[in-house]
Amino acid sequence: MNAPHDTTTPAVPSAQLTVKSADDMRELGRRLSGLLRPGDLVLLSGELGAGKTTLTRGLGAGLNVRGAVTSPTFVIARVHPPLGDGPALVHVDAYRLSGGLDEMEDLDLDVSLPESVIVVEWGDGKVEDLSEDRLRVVIERAVGADAPDPDDAAEDHDDVRTVTVTGIGDRWADADFSALGR
């Protein structure tokens, strides 16, 4: 006997990709930028050195924004205005912030959100209240059974990452992440 299909929980669109180098991570950011529009919130998660800022550099290149995208760790947030008609990129590093959205209120992210793409590193548990619709990107180093074959000398295994992109909310309900895996 088959179990009834659960129609109350919508499917969450997601993609899981293997990224083998920093250049590939930047390229993934460029491809991901093609899915973004003003008002989008992107949360990046991963340990130190996982590639969050590298991915954001690719987003900045794809969105054609001004200025070098660097880690905003000590300034908390950097705004990169568009060079053309696209949205600005607001790059936030919430690593040093212990509180939730209250502590980030001074950044006026809610004011910037409608006309910008906001990317928040270390934002889990801190900025979800900014928008019901968000893109969650988790970057993990390949370890143990997930690591590539150690006899494969063609790859630098320290650079291999597994990136999971998940759309949350109505904005992403029909998202097609297939272009990310090209």
Side-chain angles (χ1 to χ4, degrees):
M1 183 169 168
N2 292 335
H5 179 66
D6 181 6
T7 58
T8 60
T9 305
V12 176
S14 66
Q16 191 170 65
L17 307 122
T18 300
V19 177
K20 298 181 180 180
S21 69
D23 287 341
D24 289 347
M25 187 68 77
R26 278 188 292 278
E27 180 56 32
L28 175 58
R30 278 189 203 93
R31 290 193 308 264
L32 185 59
S33 72
L35 299 175
L36 299 176
R37 63 184 187 210
D40 283 342
L41 174 64
V42 181
L43 301 182
L44 301 181
S45 299
E47 62 188 56
L48 286 171
K52 298 177 295 295
T53 299
T54 302
L55 179 82
T56 306
R57 283 186 187 109
L59 287 171
L63 292 171
N64 192 29
V65 298
R66 185 174 60 214
V69 175
T70 59
S71 178
T73 299
F74 297 104
V75 295
I76 309 300
R78 292 186 197 279
V79 177
H80 298 274
L83 291 171
D85 293 334
L89 172 67
V90 179
H91 184 197
V92 180
D93 186 330
Y95 182 74
R96 294 191 182 332
L97 303 177
S98 58
L101 194 56
D102 291 342
E103 189 174 358
M104 297 188 76
E105 239 176 47
D106 289 341
L107 299 176
D108 286 333
L109 296 179
D110 55 337
V111 173
S112 300
L113 186 59
E115 69 272 356
S116 304
V117 170
I118 297 182
V119 176
V120 183
E121 297 185 25
W122 305 96
D124 285 339
K126 297 177 182 175
V127 297
E128 287 90 344
D129 289 342
L130 278 175
S131 177
E132 291 180 11
D133 301 311
R134 58 193 171 276
L135 198 60
R136 186 165 187 261
V137 180
V138 178
I139 305 170
E140 300 173 307
R141 286 195 169 105
V143 294
D146 296 334
D149 182 348
D151 294 329
D152 183 1
E155 294 183 31
D156 182 352
H157 303 302
D158 290 338
D159 284 344
V160 176
R161 306 288 193 261
T162 299
V163 179
T164 304
V165 180
T166 305
I168 299 167
D170 291 341
R171 156 74 173 98
W172 298 103
D174 297 323
D176 178 5
F177 294 130
S178 62
L180 299 179
R182 279 192 253 153

